[in-house]
Amino acid sequence: MARQFTEDTLIVASHNQGKVLEIAALLAPYKMTVTSASACQLDEPVEDGDSYIANAAIKAKAAAITSGLPALSDDSGFEVMAIDGDPGLYSARWAGADKDFSVAMQHVHDAITASGKTDTSCRFVCALALCWPDGEIVTTQGIIDGHYVWPPRGNRGFGYDPMFIPDGYEQSFGEVDPEWKHAVSHRAIAFQQLIDLCFQDTPRQP
């Protein structure tokens, strides 16, 4: 059985406010204080892993050991089949130093156009890593498939959300209600796995 989370404070090991808010919403049913790496003034570690899980583990471990508090980290990517799964692990880097995802989405569109391929299939992948200050770590991964649209649609999500429509639906992640996205996204899938593993004994809000 995986280690159970019973502490009263958890750091979301991210400087991406969109991710922090989304993870905080997923954690809302539980009786704990949720803070972030940026709020705790923690530096961003070098993400040099060879997988989403490896990068999530790097961030969670760095935050937990530095702060002395358990830390939950997300590493996620947008994979487009027409361009061989890019931007993938480098999804954030395609947004440049300013982390401008309108620039990143334009880069994706330009790469797809240059490829000459008509395959619109793509997917979001999310890995989560929960690490305690003693170094023990639990990881999960979730995937949601869909297709891309151009131009991007909606301004309610973050990252590549406006150009992603999940299979079986007609609205992009940039158009849908955030609560609905929280229930079905790649992050929600990975989070449910983590809940099943580590949060069965965690006190819930009344």
Side-chain angles (χ1 to χ4, degrees):
M1 184 176 178
R3 182 169 175 175
Q4 294 297 294
F5 182 88
T6 56
E7 291 78 5
D8 57 9
T9 302
L10 179 66
I11 293 178
V12 178
S14 176
H15 289 74
N16 180 320
Q17 190 62 14
K19 286 186 180 182
V20 171
L21 291 173
E22 195 164 299
I23 293 172
L26 290 167
L27 290 166
Y30 297 93
K31 202 171 181 180
M32 69 177 76
T33 299
V34 179
T35 186
S36 69
S38 55
C40 295
Q41 299 183 321
L42 301 178
D43 293 334
E44 294 184 83
V46 175
E47 298 174 41
D48 55 2
D50 60 1
S51 67
Y52 298 107
I53 285 177
N55 281 336
I58 288 169
K59 290 182 282 189
K61 189 172 183 179
I65 291 175
T66 301
S67 68
L69 295 169
L72 175 62
S73 177
D74 158 298
D75 195 67
S76 53
F78 182 52
E79 300 183 349
V80 179
M81 302 312 115
I83 50 177
D84 301 320
D86 283 338
L89 283 177
Y90 306 104
S91 293
R93 297 181 199 179
W94 279 41
D98 294 332
K99 297 184 178 179
D100 185 341
F101 279 91
S102 63
V103 171
M105 288 188 285
Q106 184 66 56
H107 285 171
V108 169
H109 176 63
D110 291 345
I112 294 167
T113 301
S115 77
K117 297 178 182 177
T118 58
D119 182 3
T120 63
S121 60
C122 58
R123 66 182 190 175
F124 272 123
V125 182
C126 171
L128 293 177
L130 175 60
C131 187
W132 284 265
D134 61 11
E136 185 171 352
I137 193 162
V138 177
T139 62
T140 61
Q141 182 166 288
I143 296 171
I144 186 168
D145 294 303
H147 65 276
Y148 67 80
V149 291
W150 193 262
R153 290 165 32 183
N155 57 9
R156 303 185 76 177
F158 65 94
Y160 297 91
D161 283 353
M163 66 185 304
F164 176 80
I165 296 181
D167 284 346
Y169 298 93
E170 297 180 354
Q171 289 183 300
S172 78
F173 268 1
E175 297 174 298
V176 299
D177 184 284
E179 289 189 9
W180 181 86
K181 180 193 168 189
H182 294 162
V184 305
S185 73
H186 50 307
R187 192 164 291 110
I189 294 168
F191 191 77
Q192 186 57 55
Q193 294 173 16
L194 192 66
I195 291 297
D196 292 343
L197 287 170
C198 300
F199 285 77
Q200 295 304 306
D201 296 340
T202 306
R204 285 180 168 265
Q205 298 284 6

